[in-house]
Amino acid sequence: MKKLIRLTTILLSLAIVLNSASCNLKRNRNPNIKPIQFRLVKKGAENIFTQKDPSLDYLEETVLMSEKDISGLISSVDHLGRPAILIHLTDEGTKTFSDITKNSIGRIIAVVHDERVIFSPKIMEHIKDGEIQVSGSFTQNQIDNLVKSMRTDM
């Protein structure tokens, strides 16, 4: 019985240490950098900026939207059955995204997570509703991991 109690105490201590380390990672993040950002690619850099070279240097400085504008994220599939991310926006995020897409047709918008471009679709039309579906060459596993990772920052 003593061995069981000792083992439980050790496991509980380990869980507390791991949880504390996880919390410290979030606390140590630069508070001036939003973990999720929507930013336009600079005019003139559209031909340089690619998924293979998605440098943040090619993005405009202005963060147009952040995690505060997202109300939910889910793994989904597009109309072709490909894995996709469905991003639900808040009311404020819906209005902001509508304005962005209305005024930026033909431009590329990058979604940045933890200072890395995760996807960068071209704005093809004015999007008025509060749902953004992003699909492409993602595997289901990549989508699931991305959704899980992004949810921790909301």
Side-chain angles (χ1 to χ4, degrees):
M1 184 65 159
K2 285 184 178 183
K3 286 183 181 180
L4 182 60
I5 292 172
R6 188 173 300 153
L7 179 61
T8 303
T9 304
I10 291 170
L11 290 175
L12 183 57
S13 298
L14 180 61
I16 291 169
V17 168
L18 290 175
N19 186 40
S20 175
S22 173
C23 290
N24 283 337
L25 285 176
K26 283 204 173 202
R27 268 187 249 130
N28 291 336
R29 177 180 279 152
N30 183 341
N32 297 322
I33 298 175
K34 300 288 187 193
I36 301 173
Q37 303 175 359
F38 289 71
R39 294 166 57 187
L40 289 171
V41 172
K42 292 176 183 174
K43 288 185 178 180
E46 294 92 344
N47 295 331
I48 303 168
F49 177 87
T50 64
Q51 284 298 127
K52 293 189 185 339
D53 183 17
S55 172
L56 297 180
D57 295 335
Y58 300 130
L59 303 182
E60 292 183 356
E61 291 295 320
T62 304
V63 175
L64 302 170
M65 294 173 50
S66 69
E67 66 280 352
K68 71 175 181 51
D69 298 300
I70 300 172
S71 63
L73 292 159
I74 60 170
S75 296
S76 182
V77 293
D78 68 9
H79 65 284
L80 298 174
R82 297 178 300 186
I85 294 176
L86 188 58
I87 302 171
H88 295 278
L89 301 175
T90 63
D91 290 342
E92 184 66 27
T94 298
K95 181 182 178 335
T96 301
F97 195 69
S98 177
D99 291 343
I100 293 167
T101 59
K102 180 180 179 182
N103 297 313
S104 304
I105 293 174
R107 297 211 39 209
I108 298 171
I109 189 164
V111 178
V112 178
H113 180 245
D114 284 337
E115 300 186 63
R116 285 183 340 191
V117 175
I118 53 172
F119 45 83
S120 52
K122 187 175 209 175
I123 300 170
M124 302 300 287
E125 63 184 321
H126 180 197
I127 301 170
K128 300 175 194 171
D129 65 6
E131 290 187 359
I132 305 168
Q133 185 180 65
V134 181
S135 62
S137 58
F138 300 105
T139 66
Q140 188 62 54
N141 194 40
Q142 288 172 319
I143 293 287
D144 292 341
N145 288 337
L146 192 53
V147 166
K148 182 179 176 183
S149 175
M150 290 175 73
R151 279 182 183 159
T152 64
D153 291 317
M154 291 176 42

